[in-house]
Amino acid sequence: MRVLSVIGNRLTGPLPEELGDLASLRQLHLTNNPGLSGPLPERLTALTGLQELLLNGTDLCANADAGFQAWLSGVQLAQVRACKAARGSGAYLTQAIQSSAFPVPLVAGDAALLRVFVTASRSTSEGLPPMRATFYLDGVETYVADIPGSGTPIPTDVEDAERALDKSANIEIPGSVIQPGLELVVEVDPANTLDPGLGVAPRIPETGRASVRVEAVPALDLTVVPFVWAAGSDLSIVDIAEGMAEDPQGHEMLWHTRTLLPVRDLDVKAHEPILTSTTNVVTLYLETALAWTLEGRRGRYMGIMPAYVIGGQSGIAAIGGFYSFSVADPFVISHEIGHNLSLRHAPCGGAGGPDPAFPQPDGTVGNRGYDFRGSGALVSPRAADIMSYCGPPHWISGYGFTKALNYRLRTETDANASAVASASTPVPAGPPTRTLLLWGGADAQGEPFLEPAFVLDAPPSVPPSDGEYELTGRAETGDELFSLTFDMQETVDGDGESAFVIALPAPAEWVGRLASITLSGPAGSTTLDRATDRPMAILRDPESGRLLGILRGPSSGDPVRTAASAGLAAAGAAGSELEVLVSRGIPAAPPR
C-alpha cells in the first residue's frame, strides 16, 4: 500500500502501531478526524519512504524525542503538532504565511518578518521590553537584530499576541540572513528591567537554538506567450508580456506569483506574439502546449490573452504540468502556475476536483499571513486560498505553500534549470529532426479529438509508452505504420478536458504512405484520413523554429494577409519569409 487516506472518517483513539509495518507507504492522510488523539507510535519511524503525513484536525501529536524528530524532518510534507506545545512566549519567521503549530518553511534569500510573542503570567500595564535576536548559520553567528520595546502592554496569551502586529515585537530580517542551516535565539529584556514576578521568559527557546527550515529554490523559468486574435487588432497583450519579461520582480501581473508561491527569482522571457484564430481557452491551452513542444520543452510556458477577448476571468492548467493558459490577470496567472506546481483546488466557490487533504473545509488559508507592501500588514486567516474560486482577498495557506515548495525541490533538481525531468515529463529535447506532429485531446465527455497533423522539423517528443489512449497510423493498404499508447494529463479549471502534443520521429519510408491516423480511448475513437477537410496553417520562424501562428479555416488560406490585418509583421526574426505549413488533416511530406 502506497497511499492511505481516511480523511473525515470519524476515526477515534490512538494511531495503531501496526501502521509502521506498511513499508511501502508514501502518503498517510488522516485530516479532520478530531477523535484521533495521542502521540504518534514510535514504529512509524520504520516508514522510511513516507512523503506526506497530514494530521490537521486531529489531536495526534509528535513526541520531542530526537530520533522521532529526525525521522519527521525527513517527511516532505508533515502537518503534525508537537505533543508538548510551547506555552508562554514564542517566535517565528514569516514570509507569506506562518503557523506555530505547523511551521511553514522559508525560501532562501527572501526577506522575512521576525515576530516575537512575549507573554506575562498575569495582566500587566508593563510594555513590551526590548529584545535581541541572534541568528546562526551552521552554528556560526551571522546576524544580530535589536528590537526596541513598545508601550503595548505585554499580552498574557500567545494567540492574542498573534492577532495584531502591535502586540508582538517585529523586525524585518534581510534575505541574506535567510539561508539553509538557519538557527535563532531571542533574548527578551537583555537589561533585566522587568519584574521577575511577571513570569516573562528571558530566552526563546529556553535552551539551545530554534532551528528554522529554509530551502533554496532555483529561479522559476517562465516563457510568457502572448496570443493575438486574428479577428482583432489589439496588440496590448504583447506589451504586457514584454513588460513582464523586462521587470519580473516588479510587474503587477506577477505579484501574486512572487509573493504567494515558493518563488524567489523569476526568469521571464517574452515569446514572440502567436497569431491565433481562436479565443477558446482549451484550444489556446493546446496551442501553448504546441509551442512548448516544438521549441524544445524547456522551462514553463504560459499563454496569455486579454480577459475582454476571452470573455472573463479564465485559465487552464494540468496538475504538475509545464504549460498553462491564463487571461492577463495576476490572480489567475498565479492560480494556474500553482496547478503546475502540484496544487489542486481549495474547496470554495465550486472549484472542481478540490484537494481532499486541504486542511480548512471552507477553503480559507487558516493562519495569519503577512503582506510586506507599504508599512506591512497581517492577512486574516479568513482570506480565501489562492487555489480556490473564492475571494478576494486571496492569499496562500501554509499547506499549499509547503506542498508547492516540496514539489519544486523534488522535481527541479538542477539549481541552474527550472524544468527538469520527472517520471511523467520528458527531458528537454534534442536537436530538431523530421517529425510527424500529432496533437489533440479528449473533450469534457472524454471523447477524443485530433487536430490536423503536420510533417515538420522539430525536437522529437514521445510520451512514456503506457496508457489508455492509442494512436495508430496506417497506409492506404491498411498496413500499420506506427502505433503508440500513452496517457493524457487531465486539466483543471476547464471541464475535465485533456490534451497532448507528440512529435513522432517520421522515417522517410512511411511519411508519404500515411493515409489515416486514429486516436482511440475509453470513450471512443476519431480518425483523420485523406477525406478530412479542416484547413490549418502553422507559421514559424524559419531560422529559430519558433511558433508564430496557428490559423484555422478561412484565415489559413492567406496567412500573410491575416497577420498583416492583425497588426503583426509577416516575417521571421531576421526579416526572412515565414515558414508556412499547411494541412487539411493528413499532411503531405514537405521537401527536404
Side-chain angles (χ1 to χ4, degrees):
M1 180 184 294
R2 297 178 63 85
V3 177
L4 178 56
S5 180
V6 283
I7 296 170
N9 273 27
R10 300 181 182 178
L11 302 178
T12 60
L15 215 56
E17 292 186 356
E18 289 76 11
L19 285 175
D21 298 332
L22 301 176
S24 299
L25 197 63
R26 296 294 179 266
Q27 298 177 11
L28 179 57
H29 297 174
L30 303 175
T31 303
N32 295 331
N33 284 289
L36 289 175
S37 61
L40 296 177
E42 187 71 23
R43 277 169 62 180
L44 284 187
T45 58
L47 302 178
T48 55
L50 194 67
Q51 298 170 352
E52 295 185 4
L53 178 60
L54 305 182
L55 307 182
N56 309 73
T58 75
D59 278 333
L60 295 168
C61 61
N63 280 318
D65 174 75
F68 194 91
Q69 288 296 319
W71 168 79
L72 191 61
S73 67
V75 179
Q76 294 174 0
L77 181 57
Q79 302 273 286
V80 185
R81 296 179 184 273
C83 286
K84 293 184 178 179
R87 295 185 177 182
S89 302
Y92 61 54
L93 287 157
T94 182
Q95 288 174 335
I97 194 165
Q98 194 52 271
S99 165
S100 298
F102 305 112
V104 180
L106 305 180
V107 171
D110 267 354
L113 181 75
L114 173 64
R115 296 193 70 193
V116 183
F117 310 107
V118 172
T119 60
S121 58
R122 56 179 171 81
S123 296
T124 178
S125 60
E126 190 75 44
L128 288 169
M131 303 176 205
R132 174 170 295 158
T134 305
F135 294 84
Y136 302 82
L137 282 179
D138 299 322
V140 178
E141 181 181 314
T142 57
Y143 189 77
V144 176
D146 287 308
I147 311 173
S150 76
T152 301
I154 301 173
T156 58
D157 179 74
V158 169
E159 289 187 7
D160 178 52
E162 281 194 75
R163 292 190 183 101
L165 285 174
D166 64 358
K167 292 186 177 184
S168 60
N170 316 298
I171 191 168
E172 186 173 324
I173 306 302
S176 59
V177 178
I178 310 300
Q179 300 296 329
L182 186 65
E183 294 177 313
L184 166 67
V185 173
V186 178
E187 299 171 75
V188 179
D189 186 29
N192 296 315
T193 62
L194 290 177
D195 176 2
L198 291 175
V200 174
R203 189 182 192 276
I204 304 170
E206 185 177 350
T207 60
R209 301 173 188 145
S211 61
V212 181
R213 182 186 170 193
V214 180
E215 299 287 357
V217 293
L220 188 74
D221 185 350
L222 181 66
T223 297
V224 181
V225 184
F227 281 96
V228 175
W229 189 29
S233 58
D234 182 2
L235 300 182
S236 62
I237 196 67
V238 180
D239 294 333
I240 291 173
E242 291 176 350
M244 293 167 70
E246 290 170 3
D247 184 20
Q249 299 304 122
H251 200 283
E252 63 173 348
M253 286 291 170
L254 295 168
W255 185 86
H256 289 72
T257 300
R258 289 191 313 271
T259 304
L260 304 183
L261 295 175
V263 173
R264 178 175 181 257
D265 296 320
L266 280 157
D267 180 7
V268 179
K269 294 169 281 292
H271 195 283
E272 300 86 347
I274 294 181
L275 189 64
T276 180
S277 304
T278 186
T279 59
N280 178 274
V281 170
V282 176
T283 306
L284 289 164
Y285 168 76
L286 181 57
E287 293 182 354
T288 305
L290 178 64
W292 181 77
T293 303
L294 295 184
E295 295 170 10
R297 308 191 308 278
R298 297 181 184 276
R300 289 183 166 84
Y301 274 39
M302 170 170 275
I304 60 171
M305 189 177 263
Y308 84 89
V309 177
I310 297 295
Q313 278 196 333
S314 188
I316 190 168
I319 303 298
F322 278 80
Y323 45 83
S324 58
F325 176 83
S326 172
V327 296
D329 178 272
F331 159 64
V332 182
I333 287 172
S334 61
H335 181 100
E336 303 309 334
I337 291 176
H339 285 316
N340 281 172
L341 298 183
S342 83
L343 300 184
R344 295 190 175 275
H345 283 133
C348 187
D355 185 346
F358 194 84
Q360 288 72 241
D362 59 357
T364 56
V365 297
N367 296 109
R368 285 176 179 81
Y370 184 71
D371 187 343
F372 281 86
R373 289 177 295 186
S375 58
L378 293 180
V379 178
S380 169
R382 303 298 303 164
D385 190 272
I386 198 170
M387 300 311 298
S388 76
Y389 282 0
C390 291
H394 303 113
W395 211 250
I396 185 72
S397 64
Y399 167 81
F401 188 94
T402 304
K403 186 172 183 178
L405 175 62
N406 288 337
Y407 178 81
R408 294 200 68 197
L409 294 174
R410 188 170 68 252
T411 60
E412 299 173 23
T413 55
D414 182 350
N416 298 310
S418 61
V420 179
S422 67
S424 60
T425 304
V427 296
T433 187
R434 184 54 52 93
T435 60
L436 175 65
L437 172 63
L438 303 164
W439 58 317
D443 65 17
Q445 287 71 47
E447 295 183 7
F449 66 89
L450 282 169
E451 297 283 8
F454 290 81
V455 174
L456 43 69
D457 290 334
S461 171
V462 181
S465 57
D466 188 26
E468 58 184 6
Y469 290 91
E470 182 176 11
L471 271 169
T472 305
R474 296 187 182 277
E476 197 73 50
T477 60
D479 294 341
E480 184 179 286
L481 301 177
F482 67 84
S483 178
L484 64 155
T485 59
F486 62 100
D487 263 331
M488 290 189 252
Q489 283 187 305
E490 183 177 327
T491 59
V492 284
D493 293 323
D495 294 317
E497 299 90 346
S498 303
F500 73 92
V501 179
I502 295 171
L504 182 68
E509 57 266 24
W510 62 250
V511 167
R513 299 176 58 208
L514 184 62
S516 69
I517 301 168
T518 298
L519 171 64
S520 57
S525 64
T526 186
T527 297
L528 299 174
D529 56 29
R530 297 200 181 279
T532 302
D533 188 17
R534 289 161 44 204
M536 177 183 287
I538 287 180
L539 285 61
R540 296 204 302 174
D541 185 307
E543 299 297 325
S544 65
R546 303 273 282 184
L547 187 63
L548 300 177
I550 305 144
L551 299 174
R552 304 161 187 270
S555 64
S556 66
D558 191 346
V560 174
R561 175 176 292 181
T562 301
S565 66
L568 295 176
S576 55
E577 292 295 324
L578 286 174
E579 177 188 14
V580 179
L581 302 170
V582 178
S583 174
R584 292 181 175 273
I586 295 295
R592 282 194 174 272

